[in-house]
């Protein structure tokens, strides 16, 4: 957090930086009526009266005009500025400090000083109110800076407590299945989340957060959640006991993949894991996909301030608090319906069905069994495709089922554009990949929704099919959905980029345009650096770029370059790529460049 200068440092600033340059200079022989016309014309409250050499000899303020022309014997039409001016005028050179100006104002009991240059030329005027306002702003900002840290800590405590409560659900599942090691790990994580949350909550202070502080809160929440989520992973993930650091890095990677809905995994045979643990992995994706952190953040602010969340929830959605409750209920219903449907269609392991379904609707990609997608029937394909598309649609679309009056034209355009993109890319992928129609559609939908389910070896794709799939991942799903990528709603905003320097646009709109431009370049370029690094390790550049895009867009599709043989540094970078993709890069921009906040 940046350190603010002391008030004494502020007062040591030179006067010239705070001088009002819009001043009226008139001779003492000018009639008062003409002087008043100049004051009205220039919207000023004073006139500096000068002699023939342009030296200041007095000052006439609006207060002088009122007081000195109110007597009956005074004729305003014949009164000159020299008749009513206050003199001698108090002046100070522009090289002096604000502290010097305050001392002079107190000495002469005035509220304005004429500022002159070293050549004795009139530069402007300095108001006492300017200095007072500067001091008030500094003190208020300093207080806000000091309190914002404690406010972030307080809210972070609430988030961690809520996460701790949520994580008891997979812990209970592990207990019911009588799997003590996963249960111990998840219970330990839940307890530590609650204890840490209570500790932070007790030391923090509840204050409103601005958008930058809220961005810091969400980023910190994701980081801490991933770190605490490493605990169950550390106990279960297969490892070499002689390499604890590598084991921690791999566990951190798996935790990142879960909570960010990244879907990449170093575990090649998840069916060898305890069943409750595969349920836990998918459950973390379900929680991360529904972005419960936003639910907690918005719970503490009035509805009229929720519009400030629009930029990092990726869309303008009304009644946000009610929407979150509705979405949580609807998505839980989706999970139950799809899991039961898969059960009756042939997938007889109900726990695996729920795990697969949670990954599906959260567009996560982790699977409970490495063979579960190998022999899908046509109806099962259709059910999972529907589930993936549901996760990629904006939350407002689902909300419209129960609150149809909020189905805006803007939202309809976004959904229509998404389906147009999906159909177009599916057609190109079908004819270029050489796959069967159902496999082509399934894998393209998986990439476009950033789910990450694959039923074919992606290393065998021809260049056109591979580029199409990369393009689908980069675009991603709709705004304010569980999907990752650039997002469809930003494609709709691209029309605002035209003529940004010639059209009159608001600061907020300009910042939105700048942010979109940054994201347009960031999403395809950031994976390039990772691909170059992977190439230096001996991996194919195209495959490495594909997997890097998959990590940044939180997709989870892979060509095999992300594997347990990678060094710890590279695995850590992939972990942070998924975290960066989950926050859509935009939170990091707001934290580093707060001026971009609309």
């Amino acid at each position: 957090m940046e350190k603010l200068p002391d008030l004494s440092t502020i007062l040591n600033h030179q006067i010239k930086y705070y001088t009002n340059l819009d001043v009226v200079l008139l001779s003492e022989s000018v009639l008062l009526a003409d002087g008043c016309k100049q004051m009205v014309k220039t919207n000023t409250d004073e006139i500096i009266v000068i002699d023939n050499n342009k030296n200041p000899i007095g000052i006439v303020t609006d207060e002088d005009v009122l007081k000195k022309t109110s007597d009956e014997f005074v004729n305003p039409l014949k009164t000159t500025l020299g008749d009513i001016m206050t003199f001698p005028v108090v002046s100070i050179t522009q090289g002096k400090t604000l502290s010097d100006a305050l001392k002079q104002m107190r000495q002469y009991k005035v509220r304005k000083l004429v500022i002159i240059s070293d050549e004795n030329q009139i530069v402007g005027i300095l108001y006492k109110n300017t200095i007072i306002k500067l001091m008030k702003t500094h003190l208020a900002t300093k207080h806000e800076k000091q309190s914002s840290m404690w406010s972030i800590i307080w809210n972070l405590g609430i988030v961690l407590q809520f996460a701790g409560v949520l994580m008891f659900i997979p812990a209970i599942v592990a207990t019911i299945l009588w799997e003590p090691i996963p249960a111990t790990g998840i219970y330990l994580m839940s307890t530590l989340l609650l204890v840490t949350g209570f500790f932070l909550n007790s030391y923090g202070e509840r204050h409103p957060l601005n958008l930058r502080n809220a961005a810091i809160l969400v980023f910190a929440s994701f980081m801490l959640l991933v770190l605490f989520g490493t605990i169950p992973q550390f106990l279960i993930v297969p490892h070499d006991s002689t390499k604890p650091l590598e084991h921690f890095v791999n566990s951190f990677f798996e935790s990142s993949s879960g909570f960010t809905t990244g879907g990449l995994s170093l575990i090649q045979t998840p069916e060898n894991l305890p069943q409750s643990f595969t349920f836990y992995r998918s459950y973390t994706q379900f929680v991360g996909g529904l972005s419960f952190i936003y639910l907690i953040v918005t719970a503490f602010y009035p509805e009229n301030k929720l519009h400030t969340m629009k930029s990092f929830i990726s869309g303008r959605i009304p009644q946000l608090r009610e929407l979150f409750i509705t979405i949580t209920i609807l998505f839980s219903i989706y999970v139950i319906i799809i899991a039961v449907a898969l059960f009756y269609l042939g997938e007889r392991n109900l726990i695996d069905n729920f795990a697969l379904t949670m990954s599906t609707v959260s567009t996560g990609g982790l699977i409970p069994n490495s063979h579960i997608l190998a022999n899908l029937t046509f109806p099962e394909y259709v059910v999972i495709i529907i589930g993936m598309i549901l996760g990629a649609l904006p939350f407002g679309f689902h909300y419209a089922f129960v609150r149809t009056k909020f189905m805006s034209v803007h939202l309809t355009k976004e959904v229509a554009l998404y389906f147009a993109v999906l159909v177009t890319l599916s057609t190109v992928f079908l004819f270029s990949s050489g796959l069967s129609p159902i496999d082509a559609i399934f894998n393209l939908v998986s990439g476009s929704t950033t789910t990450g389910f694959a039923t074919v070896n992606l290393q065998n794709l021809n260049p056109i099919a591979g580029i199409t799939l990369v393009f689908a991942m980069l675009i991603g799903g709709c705004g304010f959905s569980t999907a990752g990528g650039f997002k469809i709603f930003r494609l709709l905003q691209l029309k605002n980029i035209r003529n940004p320097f010639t059209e009159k646009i608001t600061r907020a709109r300009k910042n939105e345009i700048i942010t979109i431009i940054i994201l347009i370049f960031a999403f395809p370029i950031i994976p390039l650096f990772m691909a170059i690094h992977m190439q230096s390790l001996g991996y194919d550049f195209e495959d490495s770029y594909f997997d890097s895009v998959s990590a940044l867009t939180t997709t989870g599709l892979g060509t095999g370059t992300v594997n347990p043989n990678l060094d710890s540094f590279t695995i850590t970078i992939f972990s942070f790529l998924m975290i960066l993709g989950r926050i859509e890069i935009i939170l990091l921009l707001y934290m580093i460049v707060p001026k971009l906040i609309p």
Side-chain angles (χ1 to χ4, degrees):
M1 189 172 295
E2 57 183 305
K3 184 178 180 180
L4 286 174
D6 295 333
L7 187 58
S8 58
T9 304
I10 298 292
L11 293 178
N12 282 330
H13 288 179
Q14 288 187 334
I15 290 172
K16 61 182 178 181
Y17 299 116
Y18 304 96
T19 300
N20 179 21
L21 304 179
D22 297 325
V23 293
V24 178
L25 306 178
L26 294 175
S27 171
E28 61 179 324
S29 60
V30 173
L31 291 174
L32 177 59
D34 294 331
C36 289
K37 288 181 182 179
Q38 285 295 318
M39 292 173 71
V40 173
K41 183 178 179 180
T42 56
N43 194 28
T44 57
D45 295 332
E46 61 280 316
I47 298 171
I48 299 177
V49 183
I50 56 176
D51 60 16
N52 294 333
N53 296 322
K54 295 187 177 180
N55 295 319
I57 59 174
I59 186 170
V60 174
T61 66
D62 52 358
E63 189 176 351
D64 291 327
V65 174
L66 290 173
K67 286 184 177 181
K68 297 179 181 180
T69 62
S70 59
D71 294 333
E72 295 181 359
F73 59 85
V74 174
N75 185 352
L77 298 178
K78 293 184 178 182
T79 302
T80 64
L81 297 178
D83 294 332
I84 65 169
M85 70 179 182
T86 299
F87 63 93
V89 67
V90 183
S91 62
I92 190 171
T93 58
Q94 62 179 350
K96 297 290 186 177
T97 65
L98 293 176
S99 180
D100 296 328
L102 277 177
K103 291 177 183 177
Q104 200 156 330
M105 288 177 179
R106 286 196 296 265
Q107 179 182 352
Y108 292 99
K109 297 181 180 180
V110 295
R111 301 182 64 84
K112 303 173 185 179
L113 293 177
V114 175
I115 310 303
I116 58 175
S117 65
D118 295 334
E119 292 77 23
N120 206 35
Q121 297 295 314
I122 298 174
V123 176
I125 195 166
L126 175 66
Y127 301 103
K128 190 174 185 178
N129 283 343
T130 300
I131 303 177
I132 293 174
K133 184 177 180 181
L134 181 66
M135 294 170 65
K136 286 181 178 180
T137 302
H138 171 78
L139 292 173
T141 304
K142 187 173 183 179
H143 174 72
E144 180 182 343
K145 290 283 184 179
Q146 291 173 339
S147 63
S148 64
M149 179 185 68
W150 299 111
S151 180
I152 292 173
I153 289 174
W154 186 88
N155 284 279
L156 189 58
I158 294 294
V159 171
L160 295 185
Q161 290 176 57
F162 187 76
V165 173
L166 286 179
M167 289 301 113
F168 272 111
I169 293 178
I172 293 172
V173 172
T175 303
I176 294 173
L177 294 178
W178 199 246
E179 295 178 342
I181 296 179
T184 300
I186 302 171
Y187 275 125
L188 180 59
M189 176 190 67
S190 301
T191 303
L192 288 176
L193 281 169
L194 287 170
V195 171
T196 305
F198 280 119
F199 178 79
L200 294 177
N201 203 217
S202 62
Y203 276 88
E205 297 178 4
R206 181 175 179 177
H207 295 289
L209 292 176
N210 57 34
L211 191 54
R212 187 193 183 196
N213 290 337
I216 295 172
L217 169 64
V218 175
F219 181 76
S221 299
F222 263 113
M223 289 303 302
L224 286 176
L225 192 57
V226 169
L227 281 172
F228 281 107
T230 302
I231 296 173
Q233 303 282 352
F234 196 82
L235 295 177
I236 302 298
V237 171
H239 65 283
D240 185 346
S241 59
T242 63
K243 299 177 180 179
L245 179 60
E246 290 185 8
H247 182 41
F248 171 79
V249 169
N250 292 350
S251 300
F252 181 81
F253 176 88
E254 295 294 333
S255 181
S256 300
S257 182
F259 285 107
T260 65
T261 71
L264 293 172
S265 180
L266 303 175
I267 301 173
Q268 307 299 318
T269 54
E271 59 271 17
N272 294 334
L273 299 171
Q275 195 167 45
S276 63
F277 187 69
T278 59
F279 177 88
Y280 161 78
R281 296 170 80 212
S282 296
Y283 182 81
T284 61
Q285 293 195 316
F286 186 71
V287 170
L290 289 182
S291 303
F292 77 95
I293 293 173
Y294 302 136
L295 171 62
I296 296 301
V297 171
T298 56
F300 301 103
Y301 303 101
E303 196 72 37
N304 61 357
K305 289 187 178 180
L306 292 181
H307 70 279
T308 60
M309 298 287 289
K310 65 183 175 63
S311 292
F312 60 75
I313 60 175
S314 306
R316 296 176 175 86
I317 306 297
Q319 305 294 330
L320 194 59
R321 197 173 299 156
E322 182 183 349
L323 179 141
F324 270 119
I325 297 173
T326 305
I327 289 302
T328 302
I329 295 173
L330 277 178
F331 270 64
S332 299
I333 293 173
Y334 293 159
V335 168
I336 294 172
I337 292 175
I338 294 175
V340 172
L342 290 175
F343 180 83
Y344 281 103
L345 290 173
E347 301 298 330
R348 293 306 179 188
N349 191 317
L350 196 57
I351 298 294
D352 282 355
N353 290 344
F354 272 96
L356 181 65
T357 303
M358 285 189 292
S359 289
T360 300
V361 298
S362 65
T363 64
L366 292 177
I367 53 177
N369 187 305
S370 59
H371 307 293
I372 198 168
L373 300 177
N375 300 306
L376 293 177
T377 63
F378 182 80
E380 290 173 331
Y381 268 118
V382 173
V383 168
I384 295 176
I385 288 173
I386 292 174
M388 291 189 293
I389 293 176
L390 285 174
L393 295 178
F395 287 169
F397 182 84
H398 304 280
Y399 185 70
F401 286 120
V402 291
R403 296 288 187 272
T404 53
K405 64 180 180 180
F406 291 115
M407 190 69 171
S408 66
V409 175
H410 177 77
L411 189 62
T412 305
K413 287 181 179 179
E414 183 181 7
V415 174
L417 179 59
Y418 175 67
F419 279 112
V421 170
L422 192 61
V423 170
T424 301
L425 294 178
S426 297
T427 303
V428 174
F429 189 73
L430 173 62
F431 287 103
S432 62
S433 64
L435 300 173
S436 66
I438 189 63
D439 274 328
I441 294 173
F442 182 89
N443 285 275
L444 191 282
V445 170
S446 177
S448 178
T449 60
T450 69
T451 303
F453 291 154
T455 59
V456 296
N457 187 344
L458 299 178
Q459 284 183 304
N460 299 328
L461 293 177
N462 64 55
I464 296 178
I467 292 172
T468 303
L469 199 51
V470 167
F471 195 60
M473 290 190 294
L474 287 172
I475 293 176
C478 296
F480 200 14
S481 68
T482 64
F486 181 73
K487 299 294 182 69
I488 292 293
F489 91 100
R490 292 192 180 105
L491 291 181
L492 290 172
Q493 291 180 325
L494 288 178
K495 64 179 183 296
N496 297 323
I497 295 180
R498 59 188 178 187
N499 301 324
F501 301 105
T502 58
E503 296 180 356
K504 293 183 178 180
I505 56 176
T506 63
R507 176 181 175 273
R509 176 63 67 183
K510 181 179 179 181
N511 288 349
E512 286 182 3
I513 293 173
I514 293 173
T515 302
I516 290 174
I517 293 174
I518 292 174
L519 294 178
I520 286 175
F521 287 97
F523 268 98
I525 289 178
I526 290 176
L528 279 176
F529 294 100
M530 192 62 187
I532 293 172
H533 170 69
M534 294 287 287
Q535 188 180 36
S536 69
L537 299 178
Y539 292 93
D540 180 77
F541 179 83
E542 287 79 10
D543 289 344
S544 299
Y545 182 76
F546 184 97
D547 289 0
S548 300
V549 169
S550 180
L552 184 62
T553 57
T554 66
T555 302
L557 292 175
T559 60
T561 65
V562 181
N563 60 74
N565 297 322
L566 287 176
D567 61 276
S568 297
F569 173 77
T570 304
I571 292 175
T572 303
I573 296 301
F574 269 111
S575 300
F576 281 101
L577 275 180
M578 290 187 287
I579 293 173
L580 186 62
R582 178 70 268 179
I583 64 176
E584 298 182 18
I585 307 177
I586 207 166
L587 291 190
L588 199 61
L589 286 177
Y590 286 174
M591 291 162 56
I592 298 174
V593 191
K595 290 184 178 179
L596 285 179
I597 296 176

